[in-house]
């Protein structure tokens, strides 16, 4: 996370990743929709293909998940994708 996220966002990113997965890259949500460190929803695979990600299995790679989480943060202008959980 510290290698990918800008310094001014990394502490919040660490909090989000801890809350979402306890930093575990191999986690899938109970509902089966969200995967990896940042619990990325598989519906995002539609745009993730531009980053070379075309399958859920790729979301279990920690580096890939963290990079895509930052891309998602940028696409959405903030923490919105994780807003259902209070941080």
């Amino acid at each position: 996370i510290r290698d990918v996220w800008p310094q001014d966002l990394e502490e919040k990113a660490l909090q989000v990743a801890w809350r979402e997965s306890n930093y575990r890259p191999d986690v899938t949500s109970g509902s089966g929709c969200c995967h990896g460190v940042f619990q990325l929803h598989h519906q995002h695979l539609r745009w993730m293909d531009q980053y070379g990600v075309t399958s859920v299995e790729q979301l279990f790679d920690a580096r890939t998940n963290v990079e895509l989480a930052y891309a998602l943060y940028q696409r959405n202008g903030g923490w919105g994708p994780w807003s259902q959980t209070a941080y």
Side-chain angles (χ1 to χ4, degrees):
I1 293 170
R2 293 189 191 279
D3 288 345
V4 173
W5 287 72
Q7 189 173 3
D8 63 322
L9 297 173
E10 67 184 28
E11 287 305 317
K12 177 81 168 202
L14 287 164
Q15 291 172 3
V16 170
W18 178 255
R19 180 63 94 32
E20 294 292 330
S21 70
N22 291 347
Y23 305 136
R24 291 185 50 207
D26 61 339
V27 174
T28 295
S29 66
S31 65
C33 69
C34 303
H35 314 281
V37 177
F38 278 89
Q39 289 294 281
L40 299 176
H41 197 289
H42 57 245
Q43 73 180 359
H44 296 297
L45 287 173
R46 290 176 286 193
W47 62 264
M48 289 177 180
D49 65 344
Q50 66 186 310
Y51 295 91
V53 174
T54 58
S55 71
V56 167
E57 291 75 27
Q58 290 172 281
L59 297 177
F60 295 117
D61 176 77
R63 178 78 184 207
T64 298
N65 194 281
V66 170
E67 288 174 351
L68 289 171
Y70 182 56
L72 181 60
Y73 172 90
Q74 291 176 306
R75 285 176 62 94
N76 287 278
W79 299 104
W82 299 277
S83 65
Q84 70 275 11
T85 309
Y87 295 104

